[in-house]
Amino acid sequence: MKNAETQPLPRAGGIGYRRFPVIAVALSTFTVVSSEMMPVGLLTPMAETLSVSDGVTGLSLTVTGIVAAAVSPFVPALIGLRDRRKVLVAFMILLSLANALTAVAPGFPMLASARIILGISMGVIWGLTAGLGPRLADGPRIALATALMFSGVSIASVIGVPLGTYIAAFLGWRAAFWALALLGGVAAAVLAVALPALPVHERSGLGGIAGVLRNRGVAAGLAITALVVLGHFTGYTYVRPVLEAGASMSAGLIAVCLLVYGLAGVAGNFTLGPLAGGRTKQTVAGVLAGVALAAALLPFATASAAAALIVLMLWGVSYGAVSLSTQTWVRKADPARVEASAALWAGVFNASIALGAFAGGIVIDSAGHHAVMFTASLITLAGLIVAVTSRPHPPAPRRRSEDLVAPAGPTFLTSSPSRWVSTAATSVRSSIRSEGSSLRSARAFSYCSRHDLNGHRPGSSGRWINGYGWNGSSCSSTSPTTRTAR
């Protein structure tokens, strides 16, 4: 049986764009990212309740990301021929249960267990969602559908994390996770109603992963994704402690800063993200440069709330386009294996989140708040170098000089001797055939001018009319021995 990744997946119906299913998937991505990133906005109160440091609490992101990264690349092979809609609904319910367990966790071990379950759910959901765009839309609408689905990522930063911060300020951080558990149930119900059947008719194999990784464009896109997400989460996971230490901001002002960051992220998703469809390399390089610059400037901008807001806006606009632009890079590099490359992309994305939170925790605990931001900037700059020196498409094969057609001039001036001899021989043969044909035509014309169709010469009373033979019948122009009327 053929590998499913080498064949286009069947589309969901025959229409060009399905708005309601795309919105349902966007709600799911919003729920997933809100659940994953909620500890960022609740890092300090969670650490105080669980009696651990900020760095240890940040490991809840690390655990989730590692598990999701381990699961995502193998999702197409693990779920086989099962309907993708049913799988998405089932694991969205599991994600809801993981948030409920987080809400009742008495200590870090149970919190880590709940986040492992969350990571499994995330890995499956991301592994399938990242490749749904071409199945829910056609042609130029794929970019719009993908932007809408990934808008849940940015909107989670705008509404999810800040709203959770506000809920925690009044009702405690556990109430925020109860709200996420409820939202997960709602998202599962919406998926069950809105999504069409998403069957797969050919089983995927683990060999498809190796095939995708051999594609240079995909490998470069995955490396870029790994570095920018690693750099981003090395710094962004600890934005709240940095703002608290540098600018002495209150919890309410920090929530406002995160809200501004999230709004900028939504703007970046819908403005910069779709540009990757036509200018993939330029868009990816631009957004990576913005993230690196913002991370480097934030330690100096904490002296005033206004400066911090401007830097966070730059960071939000840039990172808001990272998901869509890097996923577009990977998809364009290997369009025949979208589900496999998307699953790998999701795995790399989540692994980088985990490693970023882990690396940031080590740096902030050992070297301080400024060092963690500078480290984030340097890692992102490494991704920028990869983006500048790579391309999403393989270079076009170079043509040999002898295969190029000269615009003018003799052939022997632009071709090799052997090719010139072959061309000359062909010309001679063509000339001989042309001269032979002309000779036969001349002989036939001469015969027709002297004979009628029966081979008789016209008498004195006979006459020729407009080139026709005797008595108005046309003379044969083939040969004297095959005289037939036309």
Side-chain angles (χ1 to χ4, degrees):
M1 184 174 292
K2 295 180 180 180
N3 194 327
E5 280 89 347
T6 62
Q7 302 294 330
L9 292 172
R11 300 186 187 277
I15 60 177
Y17 176 55
R18 289 175 172 260
R19 182 176 290 106
F20 193 29
V22 168
I23 294 174
V25 175
L27 176 61
S28 299
T29 59
F30 169 82
T31 306
V32 169
V33 175
S34 296
S35 301
E36 180 184 14
M37 299 308 303
M38 190 58 67
V40 173
L42 307 177
L43 197 64
T44 302
M46 288 179 68
E48 293 175 354
T49 302
L50 301 175
S51 301
V52 293
S53 67
D54 289 345
V56 173
T57 306
L59 290 177
S60 62
L61 285 171
T62 303
V63 171
T64 304
I66 289 176
V67 175
V71 171
S72 292
F74 305 102
V75 168
L78 291 175
I79 63 178
L81 301 179
R82 293 178 179 83
D83 190 315
R84 273 39 180 167
R85 178 186 62 178
K86 296 179 180 179
V87 175
L88 286 171
V89 171
F91 280 89
M92 185 59 66
I93 294 174
L94 185 62
L95 182 139
S96 177
L97 294 176
N99 283 321
L101 287 176
T102 303
V104 300
F108 185 77
M110 185 171 179
L111 173 67
S113 300
R115 300 289 289 184
I116 288 174
I117 298 175
L118 180 69
I120 295 173
S121 306
M122 282 177 46
V124 175
I125 294 171
W126 272 121
L128 297 179
T129 300
L132 283 182
R135 300 194 69 180
L136 298 178
D138 292 323
R141 292 185 178 268
I142 293 177
L144 174 61
T146 306
L148 285 173
M149 289 189 295
F150 279 104
S151 68
V153 177
S154 301
I155 296 173
S157 300
V158 176
I159 299 177
V161 176
L163 183 58
T165 305
Y166 277 114
I167 292 174
F170 292 100
L171 301 176
W173 65 269
R174 298 183 187 275
F177 284 97
W178 279 119
L180 286 173
L182 177 62
L183 181 61
V186 173
V190 173
L191 284 175
V193 173
L195 278 184
L198 297 171
V200 175
H201 303 306
E202 295 185 2
R203 187 179 299 276
S204 300
L206 296 177
I209 299 175
V212 171
L213 289 175
R214 284 193 292 267
N215 185 304
R216 292 185 179 181
V218 173
L222 295 178
I224 294 166
T225 303
L227 290 169
V228 64
V229 178
L230 175 64
H232 169 77
F233 280 97
T234 296
Y236 179 70
T237 304
Y238 302 96
V239 161
R240 178 166 181 162
V242 169
L243 294 178
E244 287 176 339
S248 300
M249 293 184 181
S250 63
L253 187 55
I254 290 175
V256 171
C257 289
L258 294 176
L259 177 63
V260 170
Y261 167 87
L263 288 171
V266 173
N269 179 76
F270 284 106
T271 57
L272 299 180
L275 295 178
R279 298 177 177 269
T280 307
K281 181 174 180 175
Q282 295 87 337
T283 304
V284 170
V287 299
L288 264 67
V291 172
L293 180 61
L297 291 178
L298 188 61
F300 304 101
T302 55
S304 68
L309 281 172
I310 293 174
V311 172
L312 287 174
M313 285 178 62
L314 172 62
W315 198 334
V317 168
S318 302
Y319 188 75
V322 163
S323 297
L324 182 55
S325 60
T326 55
Q327 204 277 330
T328 301
W329 180 302
V330 173
R331 175 174 58 83
K332 291 178 68 175
D334 196 348
R337 294 180 284 198
V338 173
E339 188 173 71
S341 61
L344 279 171
W345 174 85
V348 169
F349 200 101
N350 285 288
S352 301
I353 292 174
L355 294 176
F358 177 73
I362 293 176
V363 173
I364 197 171
D365 285 343
S366 60
H369 302 94
H370 287 199
V372 75
M373 291 298 164
F374 295 148
T375 302
S377 179
L378 290 175
I379 295 172
T380 308
L381 282 175
L384 177 59
I385 293 173
V386 176
V388 170
T389 58
S390 305
R391 65 181 71 191
H393 298 293
R398 298 181 61 182
R399 300 180 62 184
R400 297 180 302 174
S401 60
E402 59 265 26
D403 292 335
L404 300 177
V405 179
T411 304
F412 62 82
L413 295 178
T414 58
S415 301
S416 62
S418 60
R419 189 175 182 84
W420 178 80
V421 170
S422 176
T423 303
T426 302
S427 300
V428 170
R429 288 194 297 269
S430 299
S431 299
I432 293 174
R433 286 195 297 267
S434 176
E435 292 178 1
S437 176
S438 300
L439 180 60
R440 287 192 298 272
S441 298
R443 292 176 59 191
F445 176 78
S446 175
Y447 184 88
C448 290
S449 65
R450 293 179 288 107
H451 298 78
D452 63 7
L453 291 177
N454 296 319
H456 301 141
R457 293 179 181 274
S460 58
S461 60
R463 56 191 180 90
W464 301 96
I465 302 175
N466 296 329
Y468 279 86
W470 188 254
N471 293 330
S473 298
S474 62
C475 178
S476 171
S477 62
T478 55
S479 69
T481 57
T482 57
R483 297 185 295 274
T484 56
R486 291 182 181 177

